[in-house]
Amino acid sequence: MRRFLIENGGESLLGTIKIAVLPIAKVFTMCFLGFLMASKYVNILPASGRKLLNGLVFSLLLPCLIFSQLGQAVTLQKMIEWWFIPINVICGTIAGSLIGLVVATIIRPPYPFFKFTVIHVGIGNIGNVPLVLLTALCRDQNNPFGDVDTCTKQGTAYISFGQWVGAIVLYTYVFQMLAPPPEGTFDLDEQHLPIKGCPKDGSPEQVPLLTQEVLSSDLNASKQGKIKDFLVYMYDKLKIKQILQPPIIASILALAIGAIPFLKKLIFTPNAPLFFFTDSLIILGEAMIPCILLALGGNLVDGPGSSKLGLRTTTAIIFGRLVLVPPAGIGIVLLADKLGFLPPDDKMFRFVLLLQHSMPTSVLSGAIANLRGCGRESAAVLFWVHIFAIFSMAGWIVLYLHILF
């Protein structure tokens, strides 16, 4: 750290800007290559190929990265010390949603996109994008967080530790908020008939969860049958299957194994009998960053598409997410630091907490929106918010480094 401050000296601002902008430039370069590969002039990465690549990243490469990095870094003592990371995710969701509520109240988005606006302002990407940025930052030899391996391992562990909370928020709170309006669809121009009950051929994802009730078909059903019906209802209401996605399972396994010293030494310690398995996962996990950036860049080739939100609402969502939410996050982290909730002298810990508040809208919220019938509008918002996030994230990273160092 002293080397970082001495070398920059009078040019500390310029050095900070360089360290903040270079990771963004690397991300932009890889996304542009993905965009080029998916363009009609090259067409090596068509829509079907991007879908397969996204599935590979989500189902294999990202879980491998999380399991290998989080498992090596975590211990039972560190889990106790890191308790504020999931709290930070929850606080960020609450603060972002309140800001989204204010924004939606002021601009009055077209019906029925009020809650949609709140969610796309309030829910940020706390997984993939922070991992990409942190990895790019740590690869710079002049980064202020130490050597490359330590920087990458600590940062990945901190980010991964908060992902399970983000998944629960997405598949409970976001799923509920993006429920279709009483008319039963977001495409009100096409269908005007209200839907009073559940559609006969509709999937469970298309029906608001709050309207689902488990009714006994037989009033004289046995107690065992009622308990079974209740468990099925709770399983469906809590969306446990959707919450337990591969990255979350990898996080849970890494935390469980890392908390048991015997298993940690058996699997995560170099020269251990089973370290070959961990090393294989490390190799696979290293492919996650380039693959997800190529897929993200390729997805931008289709453009924002058509949207019913309008320019005013889209601009307000981008401004709220990228400009208004980060200052609230700075306040949350600085208050927690002042109250002694954060590990002392751990700059990386604080940087990750701050980074979680300055990310663009979560890509997974777009997946939820697609399930709920408003995927077209969500795709348009995600397109523009990621374009402008390239510039906003560089600015916020400069400020964060200035605050920390």
Side-chain angles (χ1 to χ4, degrees), residues 161-205:
F161 190 66
Q163 283 197 343
W164 61 274
V165 182
I168 294 176
V169 170
L170 277 168
Y171 289 100
T172 52
Y173 168 65
V174 175
F175 195 93
Q176 293 279 5
M177 287 287 285
L178 292 182
E183 291 80 4
T185 177
F186 286 90
D187 298 325
L188 296 182
D189 291 341
E190 300 175 4
Q191 298 183 24
H192 299 280
L193 295 177
I195 298 177
K196 297 181 180 180
C198 300
K200 296 180 181 180
D201 56 347
S203 61
E205 288 81 1

Side-chain angles (χ1 to χ4, degrees), residues 356-380:
Q356 289 177 333
H357 296 284
S358 54
M359 293 295 101
T361 304
S362 172
V363 176
L364 288 180
S365 69
I368 300 295
N370 192 50
L371 285 176
R372 297 304 241 166
C374 51
R376 183 173 53 190
E377 286 72 22
S378 183

Side-chain angles (χ1 to χ4, degrees), residues 50 61 70 72 113 127 131 140 237 251 266-267 301 309 344 405:
R50 297 195 301 271
L61 302 184
L70 181 59
Q72 290 182 86
F113 294 103
L131 281 174
D140 191 332
K237 185 174 180 65
S251 299
L266 188 65
I267 296 176
V301 77
L309 294 177
F405 301 110

Side-chain angles (χ1 to χ4, degrees), residues 69-105:
Q69 299 291 345
L70 181 59
Q72 290 182 86
V74 75
T75 61
L76 185 59
Q77 179 62 32
K78 287 184 177 179
M79 279 193 281
I80 298 174
E81 294 176 358
W82 298 352
W83 67 273
F84 190 75
I85 294 179
I87 299 299
N88 185 61
V89 175
I90 296 174
C91 291
T93 300
I94 295 173
S97 297
L98 290 175
I99 293 173
L101 180 62
V102 173
V103 169
T105 303

Side-chain angles (χ1 to χ4, degrees), residues 39-312:
S39 67
K40 63 180 180 179
Y41 302 103
V42 181
N43 201 28
I44 293 178
L45 202 60
S48 58
R50 297 195 301 271
K51 184 176 181 181
L52 291 174
L53 189 58
N54 279 320
L56 181 66
V57 168
F58 184 73
S59 300
L60 178 63
L61 302 184
L62 180 57
C64 288
L65 179 69
I66 291 175
F67 181 82
S68 59
Q69 299 291 345
L70 181 59
Q72 290 182 86
V74 75
T75 61
L76 185 59
Q77 179 62 32
K78 287 184 177 179
M79 279 193 281
I80 298 174
E81 294 176 358
W82 298 352
W83 67 273
F84 190 75
I85 294 179
I87 299 299
N88 185 61
V89 175
I90 296 174
C91 291
T93 300
I94 295 173
S97 297
L98 290 175
I99 293 173
L101 180 62
V102 173
V103 169
T105 303
I106 294 174
I107 65 166
R108 296 183 179 180
Y111 182 82
F113 294 103
F114 188 91
K115 292 182 180 180
F116 176 96
T117 302
V118 174
I119 288 298
H120 281 72
V121 172
I123 304 298
N125 191 319
I126 62 169
N128 297 340
V129 176
L131 281 174
V132 170
L133 280 178
L134 203 60
T135 302
L137 177 64
C138 291
R139 288 177 65 87
D140 191 332
Q141 295 297 331
N142 293 323
N143 80 80
F145 299 107
D147 64 275
V148 175
D149 292 337
T150 302
C151 175
T152 304
K153 186 179 295 184
Q154 284 187 342
T156 303
Y158 293 156
I159 293 171
S160 302
F161 190 66
Q163 283 197 343
W164 61 274
V165 182
I168 294 176
V169 170
L170 277 168
Y171 289 100
T172 52
Y173 168 65
V174 175
F175 195 93
Q176 293 279 5
M177 287 287 285
L178 292 182
E183 291 80 4
T185 177
F186 286 90
D187 298 325
L188 296 182
D189 291 341
E190 300 175 4
Q191 298 183 24
H192 299 280
L193 295 177
I195 298 177
K196 297 181 180 180
C198 300
K200 296 180 181 180
D201 56 347
S203 61
E205 288 81 1
Q206 296 173 323
V207 182
L209 293 177
L210 293 178
T211 63
Q212 297 184 34
E213 297 180 1
V214 179
L215 300 176
S216 176
S217 59
D218 185 0
L219 296 177
N220 297 322
S222 65
K223 180 182 291 187
Q224 183 178 1
K226 292 181 179 180
I227 294 175
K228 181 180 179 180
D229 290 342
F230 175 76
L231 292 176
V232 170
Y233 168 74
M234 292 303 297
Y235 179 86
D236 181 67
K237 185 174 180 65
L238 295 176
K239 291 293 171 184
I240 295 176
K241 183 178 180 180
Q242 284 87 343
I243 293 174
L244 293 178
Q245 298 291 342
I248 308 305
I249 296 175
S251 299
I252 294 173
L253 289 176
L255 292 173
I257 296 175
I260 303 174
F262 171 74
L263 293 179
K264 184 179 177 69
K265 291 180 181 179
L266 188 65
I267 296 176
F268 293 115
T269 305
N271 301 322
L274 297 180
F275 186 73
F276 72 91
F277 175 73
T278 303
D279 200 27
S280 301
L281 298 185
I282 293 174
I283 295 172
L284 287 170
E286 290 174 348
M288 191 278 291
I289 303 299
C291 287
I292 196 170
L293 288 178
L294 289 174
L296 179 60
N299 290 335
L300 298 179
V301 77
D302 296 326
S306 60
S307 172
K308 297 180 180 178
L309 294 177
L311 178 62
R312 182 183 178 185

